[in-house]
Amino acid sequence: GHQLRSFRLGPLLGRGGMGEIYDAMKIGSGEPAAVKLLARHALAEPTKIARFLRELDIARTLRAPNVAAVLEVGDLSAELPYLAMERLKGHDLDRHLRQHGRLTPEETAALVQQVADGLTVAHAAGIVHRDLKPSNIFRCEPDGAAGGAPVWKILDFGVSKLGGESQLTMDAVVGTPAYMSPEQAKGEGVDVRTDVYGLGTIAYAALTGVAPFGGGSAAVVMTRVIRELPRPPSELS
């Protein structure tokens, strides 16, 4: 029931390490939305606040069919920093793979093409996502009346890198170990090739049902990312 400028919050939809996402409705039009707020515990951590504000800055400018659309942004001038996004109908790739095992080659090709289209727009704006993984790729259900294929959209630019900026992470390793690139695992600088690698790991997971590198602690997984090649998909029946 809480109101943030144009939107009234509904039930909590999900919670991550840094933020909370609420079902919401635009006051007046009744347009459905999803509003992302910085989690309460993160409000006391300057680095997490800075990351969230950076995501808001990116959201103001990034517009692409395969990136979740932004409806409104509230920065530090608002009662609470927030990001109002289109309310997507469907679920993320991580959940889809847990329920269905894997995608067909045709479905995977469509996913890769659509995510690549979204990344092309981001990269043209000087933005590197840095944390592509199945939980950040959303499968939007096709319109029941119109039919058609699902649409894939990129979520969460919270740890993305803007061209020319210094890292807010103080050069710490950023990303998800099982899906990060070797240069990320080494703590080296990243560029658009990091996202290309990340998309490749997503395609691998979609086709095989497993991450290219998994199991063990984060340190063990990152060591494997740096030193090894993943098993050929043909070996994973």
Side-chain angles (χ1 to χ4, degrees), residues 28-178:
S29 69
E31 178 184 5
V35 171
K36 181 176 182 179
L37 300 174
L38 197 60
R40 287 188 181 89
H41 66 82
L43 289 171
E45 301 182 43
T47 297
K48 290 186 176 179
I49 293 174
R51 285 190 196 175
F52 190 71
L53 293 177
R54 176 177 51 182
E55 183 176 7
L56 300 185
D57 286 338
I58 291 170
R60 286 188 175 98
T61 59
L62 190 55
R63 296 288 185 272
N66 298 106
V67 175
V70 172
L71 305 177
E72 186 173 281
V73 169
D75 56 21
L76 287 178
S77 66
E79 177 185 353
L80 288 170
Y82 68 91
L83 178 63
M85 303 170 286
E86 63 177 321
R87 181 72 162 89
L88 301 176
K89 180 182 178 182
H91 49 262
D92 62 39
L93 177 61
D94 182 61
R95 175 179 167 186
H96 192 81
L97 294 178
R98 283 188 277 110
Q99 291 180 339
H100 302 280
R102 62 187 71 186
L103 301 183
T104 66
E106 294 76 18
E107 290 172 328
T108 302
L111 179 155
V112 169
Q113 180 63 65
Q114 293 179 40
V115 173
D117 288 344
L119 289 175
T120 296
V121 175
H123 293 166
I127 299 164
V128 180
H129 189 285
R130 292 204 296 181
D131 196 23
L132 291 175
K133 56 188 176 183
S135 60
N136 280 339
I137 306 298
F138 198 92
R139 183 183 187 274
C140 301
E141 299 289 354
D143 188 318
V151 174
W152 296 95
K153 298 200 177 197
I154 305 169
L155 305 177
D156 199 354
F157 282 82
V159 297
S160 60
K161 178 186 177 185
L162 290 167
E165 73 172 0
S166 59
Q167 292 188 21
L168 291 173
T169 54
M170 306 299 288
D171 295 323
V173 174
V174 174
T176 302

Side-chain angles (χ1 to χ4, degrees), residues 119 123 128 132 181 191-202:
L119 289 175
H123 293 166
V128 180
L132 291 175
S181 65
D191 56 30
V192 298
R193 292 172 293 183
T194 295
D195 285 347
V196 174
Y197 183 97
L199 181 52
T201 65
I202 289 171

